[in-house]
Amino acid sequence: MSFDAVVAGSGPNGLVAAVTLAAAGRRVLLLEAAEGFGGALRSAELTLPGRVHDVGAAVLAMALISPAYRDLGLTFADHPAPQAGDQSRQAGDRVQQTGDRDRAQQAGDRVQQTGERDRPADVVFAHPPVAAAHPLDDRPAVLVHRDAGRTAEGLGRDAAAWRASVGAAARAGGPLAETLLAPLGWPKAPLAAARFGVFGALPATVLGRTVFRTAEGRALLAGMAAHSVQDLRAPITSGYGMLLAASAHLVGWPLVRGGSQVLADALVARLRALGGEAVTGQRVRDVKELDAPIRILDVTPRQFLSMAELPPGYRDRLRRYRYGPGVFKLDWALDGPVPWRDPQVARAGTVHLGGTMEEIVLSEAEMAAGRHSPRPYVLLVQPYAADPTRGGHTLWAYCHVPNGSTVDMTAAVEAQIERFAPGFGDRVLARHTMTTADLERFNPNLVGGDIGGGAGSLGQFLRRPVWSPAPWRTPLPGVYLCSAATPPGGGTHGMGGYQAARLALREHP
Ligand SMILES: Cc1cc2nc3c(=O)[nH]c(=O)nc-3n(C[C@H](O)[C@H](O)[C@H](O)COP(=O)(O)OP(=O)(O)OC[C@H]3O[C@@H](n4cnc5c(N)ncnc54)[C@H](O)[C@@H]3O)c2cc1C
């Protein structure tokens, strides 16, 4: 059978590209090198039988906020966290068509489609009672709630700083998020984007020291900005932190009920329902193997360089592309919840460990300089706070390490957890660790353990992977890149795939 389009790689970008093409009536073949679909969306029994762990992405705010999933025909449901005294919110999952989500986001509410209730949703987003917590040594943890006002109130003297930075981004809502996720297009919300840029362009250290005044506010900002996997003294690290924090207010920081794999499987099922084919265990080694007018590659520049003969100018530009630091990933099976010193932390889906802003800045600077921090910033997710279907208390975490690091960071990461949860070690039934090399073996797009498909510096925010109004297009006719190495970069938003597929559809009518 002949195909109109072949997509290589089934991360969120490859999957969104494939479904977008199939939904436009094209005959699509999706080839995945691994034995399972999903790339960094995969889930697996990494520790004990029956324990479901997200190997890669766990908190999928970026999928909910992204316009890419809008027209794919999937149904999403929100499973809100039970709140004390709020019976209505426990009533069950609220189903919504992905096409209506943007409207819902803008209204600051979640829609429920009439008549959709009886149909099980393709993907249920499970919300923890608290989006994120940031424990501190000598005082209560700082909490990020779905509600921006409540979060600001908890910051005391920094309430106004939170409202002016993150709160303003959240109030600008879907149009601002859409602008930031499609950075090379004309902004949908130019005023909000300009306002966001005033703070967002700054290094997190500058925003933290000039606008925020309390240890709590500064620590919270640093913990958010550190998701950028950069030295926090670098430009635009504030922007990463503000966008992420604003997404907690806009759509929450949910996990997928049953594991992130459920979203990948739903996309594959949708592709097949649209007549597409999807095959695992098929590594594409040369673009010449792909026989179709449209060929979309969910790979990063280093892989692309080995897969194609490219014109020298473009080849040299790809060679200048830089990968960012890597991560050391841990998963645990526990016999109960983490015994946090501050019990409020138990209600959070995501926990930022690392203490004060100064400590986090130091640990990220060490990592950026090629060293291993003895007290690393740790990003931790407790799925059981939102999703009881993971086979028990499972725990997920990573810390940042230099690209290609071979150091086992288990002791340093567990020491950071013990610091805020004494007795944690007694809860561990089994653990699974992945060095940067293990991650790259699992998924070749995680070059040197870089989970963002390339450094997220200002330069590569603009030049991803090359400077171009259409960076998804390559000089090879009909060949497009769609991975996290294309705008807008890392995350489960699927926007690289969406943009590449739409460009291909326009250029191959
Ligand atoms: C440990 C970890 C934690 C993360 N946490 C989060 C999070 O909580 N929230 C969030 O939003 N994001 C998170 N991310 C980032 C996010 O998952 C990635 O940015 C995103 O998955 C990138 O999508 P992608 O489609 O570009 O590539 P990937 O998801 O990396 O998938 C690429 C796929 O292409 C396949 N492939 C590669 N080369 C070939 C080839 N030659 N032929 C065929 N197939 C090929 C690979 O096997 C893989 O399946 C995390 C990532 C990791 C690794």
Side-chain angles (χ1 to χ4, degrees), residues 237-259:
T237 44
S238 287
Y240 281 106
M242 284 166 55
L243 176 62
L244 270 176
S247 73
H249 298 322
L250 266 174
V251 294
W253 275 13
L255 290 93
V256 172
R257 194 171 161 95

Side-chain angles (χ1 to χ4, degrees), residues 8-14 31-34 38-41 55-60 62 282-284 298-299 303 307 327 329 396 398 439 442-446 451-452 482-484 490-492:
S10 70
N13 286 312
L31 301 173
E32 166 55 52
L41 278 181
V55 184
V59 177
L60 300 199
M62 285 295 130
Q282 293 283 326
R283 179 179 302 275
V284 175
D298 188 2
V299 304
Q303 297 144 279
M307 291 168 74
V327 309
K329 170 87 191 320
W396 173 114
Y398 64 73
L439 284 164
F442 161 74
N443 173 352
N445 284 31
L446 308 176
I451 66 170
C482 78
S483 74
T492 49

Side-chain angles (χ1 to χ4, degrees), residues 181-200:
L181 289 176
L184 298 182
W186 176 248
K188 277 211 161 173
L191 281 179
R195 189 181 167 152
F196 181 87
V198 172
F199 287 148

Side-chain angles (χ1 to χ4, degrees), residues 123-149:
V123 183
V124 176
F125 286 91
H127 291 260
V130 171
H134 190 123
L136 293 163
D137 288 317
D138 52 357
R139 56 190 85 195
V142 195
L143 304 181
V144 178
H145 300 279
R146 178 74 182 263
D147 183 64

